[in-house]
Amino acid sequence: MSEIYRPTVAVIDLDHLAYNFKLAQKHAPGKTIIPVIKANAYGHGVIDVMRHLYDQGSRICAVSLLEEALEVRKVFDDIDILMMGPAFKNDLTTCSKARIMTTVYDQESLRDVLKAGVPLSIHLKVDTGMRRYGLSQTDEIMKALKSLHEASHVDLSGLYTHLSTADTDESYMQGQIERFKAILELSPVVPRMVHVANSSAIFKVESTFDFTTHARLGISLYGLSLDHPKPDLRPVMSLVSVVGSIRHLNKGDVLGYGATYQATRDETIAVIPIGYADGFIRRNRDSDVEIKGHRYPLVGTICMDACFARVSDGIQKGDPVTLFGGLITTDEVANRLGTIHYEVTTGISSRVPRITKKGLRT
Ligand SMILES: Cc1ncc(COP(=O)(O)O)c(C=O)c1O
């Protein structure tokens, strides 16, 4: 989308991004933070996000897909890119050519990498309890480390695991950490990058780790956290629009698809040009929106391209509307939808332009 005409945009505050990045660095002294920028930087716009982090000195990132890795590589020639998701046999030559750090995560991927015959930088993933990707038996992990270390075309650059309950169950997390440490102690070789923590663990335990070199920062880079109490983060995305039209309903008039809303008195309705095709899904119908510092309730069903708020008389066409990121937080939206804020920001569709904003310097 080159020209932007529509007033509905996700505003990305890069100063907040830099602030959150630095805050994470403070909680991981001596370690390198790996920004996790998969899924279009959790919906925030991958290239602008990485460019700003690059300006802050970051020379590494993590993504999930090869497509994501290649998109980043096209713009940033001199950074490390870790692909955490599965690389299939036919992807390995592309990974090699584009210098993508690739994850070995099961026996098949180990076999494929050992047979690849092209130079590869490999991180071995250990499953310590997430049970998604990673080798889990100690003997298979040791054999994998040895064979990867000995393969002349492989640079065994990393060893990592992923914590599944850092924000929900500290004792399970500690069990995973202990399992990882035991693997590391037995390992015949220690790669130069060892990483365990995600956002929650960075703020809770990374400063106590003496066995890691890196930590992977995802959701909290974007100013969001599921922890209680929350770290002092600053939200990066706000979703905004304007009042597209003002309608007046008489008592008894019905509104929108299905005529599901009926005015109980004479009412003023703001039509806002954002709908479910923008990722502002129909289940947001019980939400409020913010206009001129006040909350107003959405009414009626959310359309593909528009929704309705019942507003007070002073509200006019063109007034700015904030869907979330102001009075209404991403947490509030996530709670109301019965989900987590990861799903809220990644769910804003590609039809919504991401616009960077230069906020106040911290
Ligand atoms: C392997 C891996 N590491 C790190 C992260 C970042 O986690 P968070 O967003 O909780 O910081 C993710 C996110 O899903 C992940 O899958």
Side-chain angles (χ1 to χ4, degrees):
M1 211 182 305
S2 44
E3 296 295 327
I4 296 169
Y5 300 104
R6 65 182 313 201
T8 300
V9 296
V11 179
I12 305 302
D13 191 323
L14 293 175
D15 287 340
H16 283 190
L17 183 89
Y19 170 88
N20 299 329
F21 184 62
K22 283 182 196 143
L23 192 68
Q25 280 175 323
K26 276 192 206 147
H27 281 78
K31 316 287 175 69
T32 300
I33 295 289
I34 306 176
V36 179
I37 57 170
K38 60 182 175 169
N40 195 25
Y42 289 38
H44 291 67
V46 65
I47 297 304
D48 281 331
V49 162
M50 191 59 223
R51 193 168 279 133
H52 203 61
L53 294 170
Y54 189 95
D55 291 345
Q56 313 300 309
S58 180
R59 294 291 180 273
I60 187 165
C61 67
V63 296
S64 183
L65 312 179
L66 183 51
E67 286 83 350
E68 294 170 343
L70 295 175
E71 185 184 359
V72 175
R73 175 58 81 222
K74 246 191 233 162
V75 182
F76 302 93
D77 191 49
D78 62 342
I79 67 172
D80 285 331
I81 303 172
L82 168 63
M83 180 179 158
M84 302 186 294
F88 297 100
K89 192 159 76 183
N90 294 341
D91 301 337
L92 294 177
T93 305
T94 307
C95 289
S96 173
K97 275 194 196 140
R99 293 167 286 119
I100 308 301
M101 289 175 156
T102 309
T103 297
V104 161
Y105 56 93
D106 65 10
Q107 283 299 339
E108 289 71 29
S109 65
L110 175 63
R111 239 182 346 259
D112 293 342
V113 161
L114 290 174
K115 282 197 205 147
V118 288
L120 286 167
S121 179
I122 294 298
H123 287 226
L124 179 66
K125 187 161 191 182
V126 173
D127 170 24
T128 53
M130 171 81 178
R131 313 228 158 82
R132 182 175 58 179
Y133 297 120
L135 300 185
S136 44
Q137 302 304 318
T138 305
D139 58 338
E140 63 169 352
I141 296 167
M142 294 307 140
K143 275 189 205 147
L145 282 163
K146 190 165 177 300
S147 50
L148 288 167
H149 179 58
E150 286 171 358
S152 57
H153 65 290
V154 172
D155 170 23
L156 176 58
S157 45
L159 181 67
Y160 74 110
T161 193
H162 189 42
L163 303 173
S164 55
T165 66
D167 48 5
T168 53
D169 182 340
E170 247 179 281
S171 91
Y172 193 79
M173 172 179 75
Q174 287 301 346
Q176 284 195 263
I177 292 167
E178 290 313 315
R179 276 193 285 286
F180 187 78
K181 278 165 78 175
I183 296 292
L184 206 54
E185 270 159 31
L186 289 174
S187 174
V189 48
V190 177
R192 62 180 179 280
M193 295 175 60
V194 176
H195 44 109
V196 169
N198 58 356
S199 294
S200 219
I202 288 173
F203 288 99
K204 283 182 182 149
V205 287
E206 180 67 45
S207 62
T208 66
F209 288 180
D210 58 4
F211 57 94
T212 60
T213 58
H214 291 64
R216 303 185 305 275
L217 177 71
I219 195 73
S220 293
L221 178 60
Y222 310 104
L224 305 171
S225 168
L226 289 172
D227 291 331
H228 303 285
K230 285 189 191 307
D232 180 26
L233 297 160
R234 299 184 180 174
V236 175
M237 179 191 287
S238 44
L239 182 63
V240 303
S241 186
V242 299
V243 175
S245 186
I246 290 285
R247 310 304 306 257
H248 296 283
L249 300 186
N250 296 318
K251 182 176 175 183
D253 283 352
V254 291
L255 171 75
Y257 283 121
T260 56
Y261 178 73
Q262 183 167 37
T264 54
R265 50 195 157 85
D266 292 354
E267 291 175 1
T268 305
I269 299 292
V271 186
I272 305 163
I274 180 169
Y276 60 78
D278 301 307
F280 195 67
I281 60 175
R282 280 159 51 98
R283 280 191 297 118
N284 279 300
R285 59 174 297 163
D286 298 323
S287 176
D288 292 338
V289 296
E290 178 188 347
I291 307 176
K292 291 181 158 174
H294 294 282
R295 286 172 170 264
Y296 295 103
L298 290 180
V299 292
T301 46
I302 293 177
C303 315
M304 189 184 290
D305 314 297
C307 60
F308 308 102
R310 190 179 60 226
V311 297
S312 54
D313 279 346
I315 301 302
Q316 294 174 345
K317 178 169 175 166
D319 282 343
V321 179
T322 303
L323 289 308
F324 65 75
L327 278 180
I328 297 148
T329 63
T330 316
D331 274 338
E332 177 183 328
V333 176
N335 288 339
R336 196 175 0 84
L337 294 175
T339 184
I340 49 176
H341 37 227
Y342 296 68
E343 201 177 8
V344 176
T345 62
T346 57
I348 301 306
S349 78
S350 59
R351 199 166 81 143
V352 177
R354 274 62 173 171
I355 307 278
T356 60
K357 162 191 170 186
K358 281 236 122 294
L360 292 174
R361 291 260 156 227
T362 54

